[in-house]
Amino acid sequence: MFERVLVPLDGSKVGEAALPVIERLVEKCGPGVKVEITLVGVITLLRHWVVVGEASAPVSYSEEELKLIKQRVMNYLTRTGDSLKKQGVVIKTMVPTGNAAEEILKACTEVNADLIAMSTHGRSGLRRLAFGSITDKVLHGTSVPVLMVRAPEGTVNE
């Protein structure tokens, strides 16, 4: 059975599709089995666009803005983790900054995860080429088993 599960989340309903599956897995653990679930929210956008009239320019977030964004992500992960807490389940959170796939793989190593459970948008073909696939990069970048859960049809990114 898996004891250390890494669950990357992006704040969307699509991203949360793996959570019910993880809950069911945890429920099937026998009494006395401790499971540690680490929720990871990667901050990928380190700058935003400022538009003045017809001109626009990329501007890096200030340290204060990044601190605020990180706190919002941490609050989201904490609220989400509260719904997963059951007897024998320990919830941890991480909020790294950088490339999502790379940070997920780093987190996997840091927490010594024995399972990565993540949602997939289910894109294929040109859409997948255009948007890339974090799930695909994680799947091919680790030797740890990856449980991919496709978001239900009709789930909207919120």
Side-chain angles (χ1 to χ4, degrees), residues 68-86:
L68 246 164
I69 292 168
K70 189 171 186 165
Q71 187 58 52
R72 286 184 187 150
V73 174
M74 187 63 77
N75 291 343
Y76 161 72
L77 294 176
T78 300
R79 280 191 315 272
T80 303
D82 286 344
S83 69
L84 295 171
K85 284 185 182 173
K86 304 209 182 316

Side-chain angles (χ1 to χ4, degrees), residues 5 9 15 25 40 79 88 150-151:
V5 182
L9 296 170
L25 279 175
V40 180
R79 280 191 315 272
R150 180 174 262 171

Side-chain angles (χ1 to χ4, degrees), residues 54-74:
E54 292 182 26
S56 62
V59 177
S60 295
Y61 285 111
S62 69
E63 286 298 318
E64 191 60 35
E65 288 171 317
L66 279 174
K67 187 177 170 184
L68 246 164
I69 292 168
K70 189 171 186 165
Q71 187 58 52
R72 286 184 187 150
V73 174
M74 187 63 77

Side-chain angles (χ1 to χ4, degrees), residues 1-2 5 19-35 37 83-89:
M1 184 44 83
F2 303 105
V5 182
L19 294 175
V21 175
I22 292 302
E23 281 186 85
R24 287 193 298 274
L25 279 175
V26 169
E27 287 170 1
K28 295 195 182 297
C29 290
V33 175
K34 294 202 179 215
V35 178
I37 299 174
S83 69
L84 295 171
K85 284 185 182 173
K86 304 209 182 316
Q87 188 173 15
V89 177

Side-chain angles (χ1 to χ4, degrees), residues 112-139:
N112 196 25
D114 48 24
L115 176 69
I116 301 171
M118 59 192 304
S119 305
T120 177
H121 294 255
R123 293 184 184 116
S124 61
L126 292 176
R127 289 183 69 200
R128 182 167 177 208
L129 282 174
F131 293 105
S133 172
I134 294 168
T135 306
D136 189 55
K137 290 172 186 169
V138 170
L139 178 66

Side-chain angles (χ1 to χ4, degrees), residues 92-157:
K92 294 185 176 183
T93 57
M94 297 176 76
V95 185
T97 21
N99 175 280
E102 290 173 12
E103 293 303 323
I104 292 166
L105 292 169
K106 281 183 200 174
C108 179
T109 302
E110 284 178 34
V111 302
N112 196 25
D114 48 24
L115 176 69
I116 301 171
M118 59 192 304
S119 305
T120 177
H121 294 255
R123 293 184 184 116
S124 61
L126 292 176
R127 289 183 69 200
R128 182 167 177 208
L129 282 174
F131 293 105
S133 172
I134 294 168
T135 306
D136 189 55
K137 290 172 186 169
V138 170
L139 178 66
H140 290 95
T142 185
S143 59
V144 172
V146 179
L147 172 64
M148 295 186 300
V149 179
R150 180 174 262 171
E153 291 292 322
T155 305
V156 178
N157 242 357

